[in-house]
Amino acid sequence: MEIVTLLLDGVWAALQPTNLGLAFLGVIIGLFVGAMPGLGSVNGVAILLPFTFVIQEITGTISSPMIFLAAIYYGAMYGGAISSITLGIPGASTAVATTFDGRPMALSGNAEKALVIAAIASFAGGTVSNLILTGTAPLLASVALKFGNPEIFALMLLAFATFIGLSGDDIPKTIISICFGLVMSAVGFDIISGAPRLLLFDSTQWFSRGIQFLVLAIGVYGIGEMLWTINSSRDSLKMTEANITLDRVWNAIKSFPEAWRGTTIGSFLGFFVGILPAAGATPGSLMAYGVTKMVSKNQEEFGKGRADGVAAPEAANNSASTGAMLPMMTLGIPGSPTTAVLLAGMVIWGLQPGPLLFTNQPEFVWPLIGSFYISNVIAVTVNLACIPLFLKVLRMPFSILAPLIFVLSVVGTYAAYQNIYDVWLMLIFGIGAFLLRILDYPLAPAVLAIVLGPIAEPKLRQSLLLSDGSWMIFLERPIAGPITIAAIILLLLPLYGFIRKRMRSGKTS
Amino acid sequence: MSCVKKFTLGMIALFASLAVGVAHAEFEPTKPIDFVIMAGKGGGADKMARLMQSIVEKEELASRPLVPVNKSGGSGAEALVSLNSATDPDHTIMVTLNSFFTTPLRQPGLEIDIMSFAPIGRMAEDTFVLWVHKNEGVNSFEEFLAEAKARGSDWIMGGTGSAQEDQIITDFLNDTFGLEIKYIPYKGGGAVAKDLAGEQIDSSVNNPSEALGFYESGDVIPLVAFTSERLPMFPDVPTLAETGEDFAYYMQRAVVGAPGMSDEALAYYTDLFAKVYDSAEWQQYKSDKSLLGDYTSGDDLSNYWQVQRERHEVILKASGAIN
């Protein structure tokens, strides 16, 4: 009961005009930075961090600046889906998986449905994770502590395993694609020994920073898709008209239940991945997509505009972003890049994140948690109300849209890291992705690998250092063991199917 | 205070500020300043850098913003290389740790000469404390030695980076006390603190700022400080010197400029960070997080680097990390 009282007090505090106004402003800013390719929530929060000092001085409370930043974080999770669906460029890394089905759905004339599903799934994910966070924060903090190096590696292995099936039946091509992503993620400096790796062309400028994930993602989904669309619609350069009638939006809202499975999986899995330090919303949304596809009876419809495929990553990235608040507040370590910046903010405002934050700073924690609920409601309302506006983008003829996508891809890549080499690299990836697509290579696994590779590799090597090189460490530990076994089974299943099919076709021929 | 006195003081202040203004009129940043952080997000160095950035912003100390960029790769190698090849040295500065000394020594191939970096200012010296989990049943440094000795290489020490500060201290403990502690490198101090609290590792030599959250909750206990005098924050924790070993180890928290920075720009940044150092927020942070050391800049800082580099060369040679 005490929690309910605390939460109600928190919600009440978040509803005060100043805080409500800040949350509203934050959500709008968040929607914008989320929707702009290259500007994710990290950039939005980092840019506005110093501004929070002003808020703190004016309001005199420590929770108001955080409510503002958290609202940006929330808004960006909604915003990322908008460009993923309408333009096919992921607005933020967290929305990459949303392009898998959101874009095809939009191209087939159901953009309003994709946008509605994304918004409602985001809302569901945010709400579910808020409820879990409110009820069980201290308990979950101890769960997160149980996840050491071998456990996190096992989880990453599981993520790869769920993605092996992502491209349907062509397992060799999927594995090649994953390996390509892993090689890309290995470029740069070795984390354990500090030795430089794969610095091609002997150029420190190009590769010493490693290949940033967003560079690959924008290249593949922005430029690659654009080229693909130009190539495949050479004869009819006309986009499907998206009609914006309230009726259609209403119908889309009514059709939401068909995405229940993706929403549920995304909400819970996203939260769980989010609370694990080092993971965050991007792996969370990719994993949710993979799992939803795996358990679905209609796997072959994924990637062609299935409602579950839109809902799962969107529910997951919102859920994970709330989840990532948990290790930030209770353990003092960030679960995602954005929470790392928020964490720095807390230190600047004079808070000590850690196990005692909930006890020592209730006047900070509860209004903040209360504001999560409020921001979520604001974000879904604003988002649904603006859908007709977003759809205008789709009504542009492709001859205008294509240059726009090109410009946004270039600007977005530059904006993310302020490095011109990244822009060239992005263009190369884009052309490469187009060629690979013609050869029917799936690219989502490569994107997944470049996200998960940098998380999995240090965990693998730290674990092997712990065990003196014995791989049994992944099987012997009580939490890591079952996860590893599940991953191995998942890895072998499609392989088994593949071999059986080969044998059968070998017999008949 | 009489009006005349007020007026005189006012004039003095005005002239003083004019004088300062004249001295630095030669350099003003003309674009946002790249503020490279030699560590990942969320660790001690990162929080400190963002605090500096906020102080600059809040007190409006600079006409252009500092833009933090984390470059944590390769024990600071990524950050050093990026500074070494900075195209605009007058607008590129970096927050450094001791990997500023060790990484160029370990990787001569990077061709980095730290003496070519611009000595802007040392903001503090961070301290190291040995921590164990409360469930370990170890309550003093003596008990730690006995337990770690008994467990040999099953005693796990987690730390930030390899052949960096934390491993140097671990190596020292192993050599001096005949231990076989196994060292596991992590990307940042935050992850080490979390894994100690979760009992994934047995001990850490985190900076107080990194371990404070779990210290306050009682999950981890400090055993010994690697300082020459006891830390005001932990008056009951002995220093290693008290056990008879002449060993103290600190980490510099310094701001450096890219090689090739003009003298005018160096003067500008030296002055800028002196103001940050003097601010109430920074002084508060220093005492809250158990940081030591005065503001040091210019030749004093260069000399300090020289001494530190030689010391680290000796340490790394002794441990076999370099020849």
Side-chain angles (χ1 to χ4, degrees):
Chain A
M1 271 329 280
E2 199 201 339
I3 282 184
V4 177
T5 323
L6 285 168
L7 177 67
L8 287 178
D9 284 350
V11 171
W12 180 244
L15 278 173
Q16 296 309 303
T18 328
N19 287 343
L20 196 61
L22 283 171
F24 191 75
L25 185 66
V27 166
I28 302 288
I29 295 175
L31 275 175
F32 178 75
V33 296
M36 284 299 290
L39 280 182
S41 57
V42 193
N43 310 66
V45 170
I47 292 166
L48 288 164
L49 182 61
F51 178 63
T52 57
F53 264 125
V54 185
I55 299 177
Q56 193 183 8
E57 262 168 33
I58 294 171
T59 61
T61 65
I62 34 172
S63 54
S64 298
M66 190 63 165
I67 286 176
F68 176 62
L69 293 185
I72 297 179
Y73 190 21
Y74 256 102
M77 289 301 151
Y78 281 84
I82 299 167
S83 42
S84 290
I85 292 169
T86 57
L87 295 174
I89 321 170
S93 60
T94 47
V96 168
T98 314
T99 51
F100 297 166
D101 276 86
R103 183 66 181 152
M105 195 185 265
L107 286 178
S108 66
N110 290 316
E112 81 287 341
K113 187 176 167 191
L115 287 166
V116 166
I117 288 174
I120 300 182
S122 294
F123 178 71
T127 307
V128 166
S129 58
N130 277 334
L131 289 170
I132 310 179
L133 181 74
T134 313
T136 56
L139 181 78
L140 286 171
S142 63
V143 172
L145 282 180
K146 293 267 184 297
F147 272 72
N149 299 320
E151 283 76 19
I152 293 188
F153 176 72
L155 200 69
M156 292 299 125
L157 196 65
L158 189 63
F160 278 117
T162 57
F163 252 64
I164 286 283
L166 195 72
S167 61
D169 290 324
D170 207 337
I171 288 157
K173 280 182 175 168
T174 304
I175 291 173
I176 290 171
S177 181
I178 285 186
C179 290
F180 173 74
L182 285 177
V183 170
M184 291 296 118
S185 79
V187 172
F189 283 96
D190 179 5
I191 297 127
I192 303 287
S193 73
R197 291 193 300 206
L198 294 172
L199 300 188
L200 306 175
F201 315 126
D202 199 24
S203 160
T204 48
Q205 283 283 0
W206 274 68
F207 291 118
S208 68
R209 307 163 45 252
I211 292 173
Q212 308 299 322
F213 154 70
L214 207 58
V215 175
L216 181 73
I218 294 184
V220 169
Y221 293 103
I223 302 295
E225 281 289 324
M226 186 191 76
L227 293 173
W228 177 256
T229 314
I230 293 173
N231 182 53
S232 55
S233 58
R234 221 172 318 181
D235 311 316
S236 53
L237 260 181
K238 197 164 157 283
M239 293 299 289
T240 326
E241 285 273 311
N243 296 314
I244 31 168
T245 57
L246 276 177
D247 254 11
R248 290 194 57 149
V249 173
W250 179 240
N251 281 337
I253 294 174
K254 275 196 298 191
S255 74
F256 181 74
E258 69 182 82
W260 70 271
R261 196 196 299 263
T263 310
T264 316
I265 292 174
S267 301
F268 287 96
L269 187 69
F271 183 83
F272 180 68
V273 176
I275 65 168
L276 297 176
T282 308
S285 63
L286 286 163
M287 279 175 81
Y289 183 85
V291 170
T292 306
K293 182 181 175 185
M294 204 172 60
V295 300
S296 171
K297 285 185 202 107
N298 307 302
Q299 289 195 7
E300 67 286 348
E301 284 177 31
F302 276 78
K304 292 172 191 158
R306 192 165 169 81
D308 273 334
V310 181
E314 277 306 304
N317 65 28
N318 272 58
S319 190
S321 49
T322 307
M325 296 277 182
L326 182 93
M328 178 191 79
M329 294 197 284
T330 59
L331 304 174
I333 45 164
S336 70
T338 312
T339 47
V341 181
L342 295 178
L343 190 69
M346 290 171 70
V347 172
I348 293 167
W349 306 319
L351 294 162
Q352 175 66 55
L356 292 187
L357 187 75
F358 274 70
T359 350
N360 290 351
Q361 307 279 356
E363 74 282 8
F364 170 77
V365 171
W366 291 103
L368 177 63
I369 293 184
S371 87
F372 293 168
Y373 288 87
I374 306 293
S375 299
N376 217 358
V377 174
I378 297 176
V380 75
T381 318
V382 171
N383 210 333
L384 286 176
C386 290
I387 282 179
L389 191 72
F390 304 145
L391 287 177
K392 287 234 162 68
V393 175
L394 274 177
R395 301 179 82 191
M396 276 189 245
F398 196 69
S399 49
I400 294 177
L401 205 52
L404 190 70
I405 291 175
F406 181 77
V407 169
L408 281 177
S409 297
V410 170
V411 173
T413 310
Y414 187 77
Y417 309 102
Q418 283 105 43
N419 193 320
I420 196 70
Y421 297 103
D422 284 341
V423 177
W424 292 115
L425 210 54
M426 183 275 295
L427 292 173
I428 294 170
F429 280 138
I431 295 166
F434 170 63
L435 296 176
L436 285 176
R437 181 123 184 229
I438 291 177
L439 298 173
D440 205 19
Y441 275 86
L443 290 163
V447 172
L448 175 91
I450 203 171
V451 174
L452 299 188
I455 304 172
E457 192 209 333
K459 295 295 162 201
L460 169 67
R461 292 174 60 191
Q462 284 165 335
S463 306
L464 290 176
L465 274 173
L466 269 173
S467 69
D468 290 317
S470 161
W471 293 82
M472 290 307 287
I473 188 169
F474 299 112
L475 294 171
E476 286 166 354
R477 304 194 19 145
I479 299 177
I483 303 179
T484 312
I485 290 167
I488 292 173
I489 291 172
L490 282 179
L491 278 171
L492 293 180
L493 267 182
L495 207 64
Y496 168 74
F498 176 71
I499 292 167
R500 207 176 53 172
K501 213 163 85 185
R502 269 289 167 89
M503 300 233 313
R504 209 177 279 163
S505 62
K507 264 180 203 160
T508 48
S509 62
Chain B
M1 201 189 279
S2 73
C3 278
V4 180
K5 219 171 177 184
K6 253 189 195 167
F7 178 75
T8 322
L9 280 178
M11 288 309 279
I12 294 173
L14 185 66
F15 278 117
S17 60
L18 278 179
V20 172
V22 168
H24 299 303
E26 292 128 0
F27 181 80
E28 268 291 319
T30 52
K31 59 176 215 184
I33 303 152
D34 273 346
F35 195 38
V36 178
I37 304 166
M38 210 173 171
K41 283 173 181 156
D46 182 59
K47 285 178 195 158
M48 209 169 292
R50 284 174 200 276
L51 176 62
M52 290 181 210
Q53 181 215 1
S54 308
I55 293 173
V56 170
E57 204 85 15
K58 188 184 176 190
E59 312 276 331
E60 294 174 9
L61 298 176
S63 54
R64 299 293 162 129
L66 299 178
V67 183
V69 193
N70 290 80
K71 293 191 186 294
S72 61
S75 303
E78 184 190 357
L80 286 164
V81 167
S82 89
L83 233 70
N84 219 17
S85 52
T87 46
D88 188 357
D90 281 359
H91 292 92
T92 312
I93 59 176
M94 171 169 77
V95 178
T96 63
L97 306 77
N98 279 9
S99 43
F100 183 64
F101 310 120
T102 48
T103 300
L105 283 169
R106 291 177 50 227
Q107 295 185 44
L110 297 175
E111 292 177 3
I112 281 163
D113 174 17
I114 59 167
M115 302 315 285
S116 69
F117 285 67
I120 292 174
R122 194 190 70 196
M123 305 297 290
E125 282 190 302
D126 212 337
T127 53
F128 291 89
V129 172
L130 177 66
W131 306 89
V132 292
H133 195 276
K134 66 168 194 287
N135 294 349
E136 200 78 63
V138 169
N139 293 306
S140 69
F141 185 58
E142 288 70 33
E143 288 176 28
F144 161 80
L145 288 180
E147 184 70 22
K149 191 156 223 163
R151 286 217 240 148
S153 64
D154 283 339
W155 186 280
I156 311 292
M157 174 84 84
T160 308
S162 61
Q164 268 172 275
E165 302 84 0
D166 293 5
Q167 192 167 17
I168 285 173
I169 297 178
T170 310
D171 284 349
F172 170 82
L173 291 173
N174 279 343
D175 292 347
T176 315
F177 301 102
L179 307 174
E180 290 167 38
I181 295 173
K182 188 192 284 175
Y183 179 83
I184 308 279
Y186 283 76
K187 236 181 165 177
V192 178
K194 177 232 146 199
D195 265 10
L196 182 61
E199 296 181 77
Q200 306 289 339
I201 53 178
D202 297 302
S203 61
S204 81
V205 285
N206 268 154
N207 305 123
S209 67
E210 294 163 339
L212 223 45
F214 294 107
Y215 165 70
E216 284 174 356
S217 66
D219 287 315
V220 301
I221 30 182
L223 295 181
V224 71
F226 300 93
T227 49
S228 45
E229 275 166 36
R230 287 194 182 196
L231 293 168
M233 187 181 278
F234 313 106
D236 300 330
V237 177
T239 66
L240 193 64
E242 289 172 43
T243 69
E245 291 301 326
D246 181 23
F247 181 83
Y249 191 79
Y250 304 95
M251 167 147 64
Q252 74 158 354
R253 299 290 193 185
V255 181
V256 310
M261 176 178 276
S262 66
D263 289 346
E264 292 78 17
L266 175 58
Y268 173 84
Y269 290 115
T270 303
D271 187 51
L272 173 66
F273 281 95
K275 285 181 195 150
V276 173
Y277 181 85
D278 287 332
S279 68
E281 286 95 342
W282 183 258
Q283 291 301 324
Q284 181 70 37
Y285 185 81
K286 253 187 87 184
S287 67
D288 280 356
K289 308 292 175 185
S290 230
L291 301 175
L292 305 172
D294 299 324
Y295 189 65
T296 310
S297 56
D299 287 345
D300 289 344
L301 186 54
S302 295
N303 293 337
Y304 172 81
W305 287 353
Q306 190 76 42
V307 171
Q308 287 294 324
R309 181 165 70 174
E310 280 158 19
R311 181 181 183 200
H312 281 97
E313 195 166 2
V314 173
I315 293 174
L316 291 182
K317 271 187 180 153
S319 72
I322 57 170
N323 331 312

